[in-house]
Amino acid sequence: MSRITKSPASARSLQSLLVEASRRATADLERVLGPEGLPVEFWRVLEVLADENGRSMSALADAVSMKLPSLSKLIDRMVAQALVQRAPDPLDQRRVLVYISDVGLEKVSGLRGSVQKQRSSLESSLGTEAGRELKRLLQAFIRERST
């Protein structure tokens, strides 16, 4: 029977490294949000809507990098928990806008400091210069892939 050995990180593909980094960063955020019973996906939506400007489902899907069917199910769950609400677009009654509710704003207000602390810790774990460089490289990668 052959034994599977792990490849050194330098031999791993960029894709697998990005997935692993995302998984670990998300797990760190889950540790902050978990005690409040708030899934990371809920937080991503609430954070976007916290400016109290309603968003169409397609604009919100773009902002949180989700596909519309998945976002629609997520919003259904968030409406059921009174975190967000849907309302007709005053400019186009055929469209629906999603707004953060008072309950959602309270969640964001209560968690924003802890989330910011977690993000700062994540960024500082690499050192200031390396953190900036990684962000610059990731932004360039995202821009390149979105064209």
Side-chain angles (χ1 to χ4, degrees):
M1 177 175 265
S2 68
R3 190 171 158 196
I4 299 174
T5 58
K6 281 191 165 186
S7 301
S10 61
R12 294 175 65 188
S13 71
L14 176 59
Q15 184 175 20
S16 70
L17 290 170
L18 288 169
V19 168
E20 180 69 12
S22 176
R23 187 188 67 73
R24 290 182 184 208
T26 300
D28 288 348
L29 185 55
E30 285 171 344
R31 281 189 281 280
V32 172
L33 301 174
E36 293 294 318
L38 197 69
V40 171
E41 295 80 12
F42 281 25
W43 175 257
R44 290 170 51 209
V45 169
L46 290 174
E47 197 171 34
V48 169
L49 295 175
D51 64 6
E52 299 187 63
N53 294 320
R55 302 283 195 299
S56 68
M57 289 293 286
S58 59
L60 188 54
D62 287 343
V64 298
S65 301
M66 289 183 76
K67 294 183 191 290
L68 274 171
S70 297
L71 179 63
S72 183
K73 290 175 189 167
L74 184 75
I75 294 299
D76 288 343
R77 292 174 39 217
M78 294 179 77
V79 167
Q81 293 186 29
L83 296 168
V84 299
Q85 55 196 21
R86 291 183 177 105
D89 184 337
L91 301 176
D92 183 351
Q93 294 294 311
R94 297 169 296 174
R95 285 186 353 147
V96 172
L97 299 179
V98 180
Y99 293 89
I100 194 167
S101 69
D102 290 342
V103 173
L105 280 172
E106 287 174 21
K107 284 280 189 191
V108 170
S109 178
L111 288 166
R112 186 172 271 150
S114 297
V115 169
Q116 186 54 48
K117 187 175 175 182
Q118 180 269 332
R119 287 178 176 161
S120 294
S121 173
L122 175 66
E123 290 182 24
S124 67
S125 69
L126 292 173
T128 305
E129 285 304 311
R132 278 194 205 125
E133 181 65 5
L134 180 58
K135 284 173 73 172
R136 187 191 68 72
L137 290 168
L138 289 171
Q139 288 166 345
F141 177 82
I142 291 165
R143 257 192 323 274
E144 178 66 29
R145 297 304 179 272
S146 64
T147 56

